[in-house]
Amino acid sequence: MRIKTTLLSTTLASLLFATASLAAQEATPDGRQHAAGECRGGKGGKEGKMFHKLARMEHRLDRAVEKGRLTQAQADQFKAEARQLRDEAQAQRQSSGGQLTDAQREQLRQRKQALREKVKAAMKATAPQGV
């Protein structure tokens, strides 16, 4: 009976230690290997927010394609522009140590607004008439 208990407790302890060490090995050191558009939580508040916003925009564009308000080519073009804008903002933020100047912030804001206006105009052109 004591041998069984000892063997069981030893096995359980080794499994607990093995699980913890395997989990530590799988984690990436900088946490940069995520799928495009995947929302990230934790410390990267601004990055997580940007990824979440991009994912929402992609979802809205996909719904617009399903409803026939945009073509797939238009949606793909808008998604690519949004990703490029997000990547440029992220690169600027990383190169300047996490802070953007007011001029950079304003330029990014204007570019985002221009992209939104393009999407609205494209969807308005194909909107059903007589609602």
Side-chain angles (χ1 to χ4, degrees):
M1 185 73 168
R2 286 184 182 225
I3 294 175
K4 242 185 194 179
T5 306
T6 307
L7 182 63
L8 185 61
S9 62
T10 306
T11 306
L12 183 61
S14 65
L15 281 175
L16 288 174
F17 288 124
T19 305
S21 66
L22 288 176
Q25 289 175 356
E26 290 179 12
T28 57
D30 61 351
R32 293 268 175 222
Q33 296 176 355
H34 291 280
E38 183 179 331
C39 183
R40 302 182 207 174
K43 293 180 182 177
K46 288 183 181 178
E47 277 187 25
K49 205 180 237 186
M50 286 190 298
F51 278 93
H52 184 69
K53 285 183 178 183
L54 179 65
R56 280 194 344 235
M57 181 181 192
E58 288 178 349
H59 181 69
R60 285 193 303 265
L61 289 171
D62 289 338
R63 274 193 315 203
V65 170
E66 288 173 9
K67 292 180 180 178
R69 298 190 67 189
L70 286 177
T71 64
Q72 187 64 49
Q74 286 175 316
D76 291 341
Q77 179 187 1
F78 292 139
K79 287 178 190 179
E81 285 182 46
R83 280 190 201 108
Q84 180 183 5
L85 187 60
R86 183 205 61 209
D87 292 342
E88 287 176 13
Q90 191 174 6
Q92 282 182 351
R93 188 172 280 116
Q94 285 176 351
S95 68
S96 63
Q99 291 292 324
L100 295 176
T101 64
D102 290 336
Q104 288 173 325
R105 228 178 270 130
E106 185 59 33
Q107 181 189 21
L108 288 171
R109 197 172 293 132
Q110 288 174 354
R111 289 178 62 195
K112 283 187 224 174
Q113 186 62 34
L115 178 61
R116 280 190 217 113
E117 293 299 324
K118 275 201 281 188
V119 171
K120 281 183 186 179
M123 288 171 67
K124 196 173 202 176
T126 58
Q129 301 297 324
V131 174

